[in-house]
Amino acid sequence: MSSNVGLSTPRGSGTSGYVQRNLSHLRPRDTIAPYPKDYDSIKHRQRQPDKAILAHDRAREIEVKVFDLRDKLEDEEYVSSLPLYILHIRTDRYSRVDVDEIENQCAALRKKLTAEMNGSKASARGLKSHQVHELAAAKIEESEKLRKALGIREDYEEGSHWKKQEERMRDATLERGKEVAREENER
């Protein structure tokens, strides 16, 4: 028995005296308001992609393709160096590739892919759900296209129409109040 919980002795109770925690007990939640009272702070903010992560992913994708080419060329070099009686195939299909030639081809492919990656735009079609930063970049680009297509200003603030309408109504009621005051003063 601990902390005055449970039986003083389990003798005669028909139980072992082991005290368990009530797992079905619902503890009260925090008394903090679930939503902020300041409505300007809950405005939608689009997730900004991390440029360093995007650059790293692009560089990694390029290096994977370069590594595949290097692996393929090195395999060709290995196969062409095997003796004919082991291969049992014609060796004229394979050309021995020099190490310097492998480096040159890899550098050329790396340069070509870098140029292609810098010129290409982000598209959300081929992206997976774990590619959060790529998805965010594609979403920003899509939103920009839509904004330009609909002719929405860059400095447009969501809900600004309602604010303008409230200001007009407030001004109109003030004008009516001033007119009523003038009429009463004239009488």
Side-chain angles (χ1 to χ4, degrees), residues 1-179:
M1 182 173 84
S2 66
S3 303
N4 294 330
V5 176
L7 305 171
S8 59
T9 177
R11 292 184 67 186
S13 67
T15 66
S16 67
Y18 182 73
V19 178
Q20 289 185 336
R21 194 176 86 188
N22 183 2
L23 298 176
S24 65
H25 174 69
L26 296 176
R27 285 178 264 151
R29 290 185 170 206
D30 297 337
T31 57
I32 301 171
Y35 301 106
K37 301 292 185 206
D38 182 20
Y39 294 111
D40 291 333
S41 67
I42 58 173
K43 228 181 342 184
H44 172 69
R45 282 183 231 103
Q46 200 162 30
R47 168 180 242 147
Q48 297 298 317
D50 188 356
K51 302 218 184 293
I53 292 176
L54 291 175
H56 173 76
D57 285 344
R58 273 191 243 110
R60 183 179 180 280
E61 192 175 327
I62 290 170
E63 288 303 317
V64 165
K65 291 178 182 176
V66 169
F67 182 76
D68 287 343
L69 175 68
R70 178 183 300 278
D71 193 40
K72 182 180 139 204
L73 293 175
E74 287 174 353
D75 284 347
E76 285 179 8
E77 180 182 355
Y78 172 72
V79 169
S80 66
S81 67
L82 291 176
L84 184 61
Y85 63 88
I86 294 177
L87 288 175
H88 298 291
I89 55 174
R90 290 180 25 213
T91 57
D92 60 347
R93 270 194 253 160
Y94 300 104
S95 62
R96 183 166 172 80
V97 183
D98 190 20
V99 175
D100 294 333
E101 183 61 29
I102 291 174
E103 287 297 324
N104 291 340
Q105 287 185 14
C106 288
L109 179 66
R110 185 178 291 116
K111 188 175 181 181
K112 178 184 145 203
L113 290 175
T114 303
E116 286 177 6
M117 289 283 188
N118 290 338
S120 68
K121 301 258 182 167
S123 128
R125 289 192 188 264
L127 297 176
K128 308 248 185 319
S129 62
H130 63 84
Q131 295 174 311
V132 179
H133 296 276
E134 289 87 348
L135 286 170
K139 183 66 177 175
I140 288 173
E141 185 177 320
E142 179 187 347
S143 296
E144 277 300 308
K145 280 184 185 177
L146 183 64
R147 185 188 60 74
K148 287 178 182 174
L150 295 175
I152 300 172
R153 297 184 324 263
E154 283 187 43
D155 62 339
Y156 175 76
E157 187 178 322
E158 197 172 315
S160 62
H161 171 74
W162 301 111
K163 290 179 184 175
K164 289 178 185 175
Q165 195 172 10
E166 285 177 8
E167 288 174 8
R168 285 188 207 126
M169 288 181 65
R170 193 176 329 117
D171 292 342
T173 55
L174 287 174
E175 287 294 322
R176 280 191 224 126
K178 288 178 183 178
E179 288 177 16

